[in-house]
Amino acid sequence: MSAGEAWDGQPFTGAKLVALAPDGALLTYLRDDFDHLPWPGCWDLPGGGREGDETPVETVLRELDEEFGLALPPARLVWHHRRAAGALPGHYYGAHLTVAEIAAIRFGPEGQFWQLSPLDAFYDDPRTIPHQMQIVRAFAASQRVGTGTSPR
């Protein structure tokens, strides 16, 4: 069973992806710096809000395609975390990207730029969204990334 099958059918706000490169670096982007946005000018993970009656997996994969030009199949999602926040929860998924996928990234119109961030740099940057730091740590630990062992 893939992580993509973990949804209980309950309403949710959106979905994000913790995507790691083969060297353990994290795919992130710097959010636009507009006052009307939540977390302006902060480092964010791929993903976003639900559209229509999408499932969390459909949401995160659509957003990954829109924001980075990457089309992953649901079976590539290897981890799931449901975060209760506000009135409706959000969903986080984890995946591993290949070198070829990273080379194929085509950054979309939202955000200032993207980067592959070493995990320690992501954790230490004051522009990191605080609750995402905890989620990235949980995924990295589940994949044994940053522990001196192979991620898989």
Side-chain angles (χ1 to χ4, degrees), residues 34-58:
F34 302 133
D35 290 337
H36 68 278
L37 292 176
W39 303 105
C42 288
W43 290 108
D44 202 355
L45 302 172
R50 181 184 197 186
E51 292 184 1
D53 60 354
E54 287 178 322
T55 68
V57 168
E58 290 168 340

Side-chain angles (χ1 to χ4, degrees), residues 95-116:
H96 297 275
L97 299 177
T98 66
V99 171
E101 288 164 339
I102 293 164
I105 288 174
R106 299 296 174 263
F107 192 58
E110 295 180 12
Q112 299 179 49
F113 61 91
W114 71 275
Q115 73 175 14
L116 290 173

Side-chain angles (χ1 to χ4, degrees), residues 16-63:
K16 295 280 188 177
L17 181 66
V18 181
L20 296 179
D23 66 357
L26 177 68
L27 179 63
T28 62
Y29 74 98
L30 192 63
R31 293 178 62 82
D32 286 319
D33 199 4
F34 302 133
D35 290 337
H36 68 278
L37 292 176
W39 303 105
C42 288
W43 290 108
D44 202 355
L45 302 172
R50 181 184 197 186
E51 292 184 1
D53 60 354
E54 287 178 322
T55 68
V57 168
E58 290 168 340
T59 299
V60 77
L61 295 178
R62 173 187 50 76
E63 289 280 352

Side-chain angles (χ1 to χ4, degrees), residues 41-137:
C42 288
W43 290 108
D44 202 355
L45 302 172
R50 181 184 197 186
E51 292 184 1
D53 60 354
E54 287 178 322
T55 68
V57 168
E58 290 168 340
T59 299
V60 77
L61 295 178
R62 173 187 50 76
E63 289 280 352
L64 180 65
D65 187 34
E66 289 176 4
E67 295 172 355
F68 292 89
L70 297 178
L72 294 183
R76 293 280 302 281
L77 303 177
V78 298
W79 181 83
H80 174 251
H81 173 77
R82 181 179 176 272
R83 180 177 183 270
L88 295 175
H91 291 263
Y92 287 80
Y93 291 92
H96 297 275
L97 299 177
T98 66
V99 171
E101 288 164 339
I102 293 164
I105 288 174
R106 299 296 174 263
F107 192 58
E110 295 180 12
Q112 299 179 49
F113 61 91
W114 71 275
Q115 73 175 14
L116 290 173
S117 176
L119 291 177
D120 287 341
F122 179 77
Y123 301 147
D124 292 342
D125 195 310
R127 296 171 297 173
T128 296
I129 298 171
H131 67 268
Q132 289 187 356
M133 191 180 321
Q134 298 164 353
I135 290 162
V136 170
R137 283 185 194 277

